[in-house]
Amino acid sequence: EDKVVQSPLSLVVHEGDTVTLNCSYEVTNFRSLLWYKQEKKAPTFLFMLTSSGIEKKSGRLSSILDKKELFSILNITATQTGDSAVYLCAVSNTDKLIFGTGTRLQVFP
Amino acid sequence: DTGVSQNPRHKITKRGQNVTFRCDPISEHNRLYWYRQTLGQGPEFLTYFQNEAQLEKSRLLSDRFSAERPKGSFSTLEIQRTEQGDSAMYLCASSPLRSRGIHNEQFFGPGTRLTVL
């Protein structure tokens, strides 16, 4: 059965810390891996990764995919309280997205 | 605002009642998806449309659930004879279809939160 596993489930840090969120997957017909940020509303798109080893970067956030080892990481540097959210990893299999349970990040001042 | 919109945002109903939700995708997005999300879990795929054709349905979508996209634009999701287990956030997403074999990111609406009493 296809599955996406995220770790850790929860993370509490102070502002300025750097965090690494993990996502591993076992999915047939892999097409891409996506990261979303979810606050108390709908998930908002962060990155889509399709190729191994190519880092995607947006401000303090970056992500990379390893298709051989079947995992991805999301890095957030110099965290801010506004980064507090659930970060969802999803893998595209044919046309639908298969989501992990998310990592809940709390950033305290 | 040209994002995905969903109505209503909240719905409280009694067990056994029927409910219908609406989703308006981003203009010109060919694909429209429905997901369900319960507390502490990631969204789970329910069904998706390419234009007006419903191409895939999850086994989570029981006979009480039906989705339509009659003109290839907005979509409705109806739940008949609601049960307490149907309480969840129902999310709609849309994506463009650029070319065969290339997956595109899905953009989510704000969701409809259903509470079945």
Side-chain angles (χ1 to χ4, degrees), chain A residues 89-105:
Chain A
C89 173
V91 173
S92 167
N93 153 326
T94 59
D95 298 298
K96 63 179 178 286
L97 295 180
I98 302 162
F99 282 86
T101 55
T103 293
R104 178 174 296 280
L105 174 65

Side-chain angles (χ1 to χ4, degrees), chain A residues 6 17-23 33-37 45-49 51 53-66 71-79 83 87-89 105:
Chain A
Q6 292 186 245
D17 288 351
T18 293
V19 298
T20 298
L21 310 182
N22 304 295
C23 176
L33 185 144
L34 296 89
W35 285 96
Y36 287 85
K37 177 182 181 181
F45 173 77
L46 295 175
F47 297 112
M48 183 170 71
L49 303 149
S51 302
I54 299 175
E55 185 182 50
K56 291 271 183 108
K57 196 169 173 65
S58 175
R60 296 175 295 101
L61 277 65
S62 63
S63 183
I64 198 162
L65 173 67
D66 185 328
F71 78 90
S72 173
I73 60 172
L74 175 68
N75 281 318
I76 308 175
T77 59
T79 52
D83 295 327
Y87 290 83
L88 293 166
C89 173
L105 174 65

Side-chain angles (χ1 to χ4, degrees), chain B residues 6-8 11 18-23 32-37 44-49 54 57 60-62 64-70 74-80 82 86 88-92 112 114:
Chain B
Q6 292 186 246
N7 288 288
K11 179 70 177 179
N18 299 345
V19 294
T20 300
F21 310 141
R22 175 177 170 130
C23 171
L32 186 150
Y33 305 80
W34 286 98
Y35 292 85
R36 179 173 70 187
Q37 186 175 26
E44 295 174 292
F45 170 79
L46 293 178
T47 188
Y48 93 94
F49 293 84
Q54 187 173 19
K57 292 167 62 174
L60 292 175
L61 214 65
S62 76
R64 298 184 297 105
F65 288 70
S66 62
E68 294 182 342
R69 194 183 184 197
F74 73 92
S75 174
T76 57
L77 177 67
E78 181 183 18
I79 309 174
Q80 296 181 326
T82 52
D86 296 332
M89 174 76 86
Y90 289 84
L91 294 166
C92 175
T112 294
L114 172 66

Side-chain angles (χ1 to χ4, degrees), chain A residues 5-21:
Chain A
V5 178
Q6 292 186 245
S7 64
L9 293 181
S10 180
L11 198 51
V12 180
V13 301
H14 289 288
E15 269 192 321
D17 288 351
T18 293
V19 298
T20 298
L21 310 182

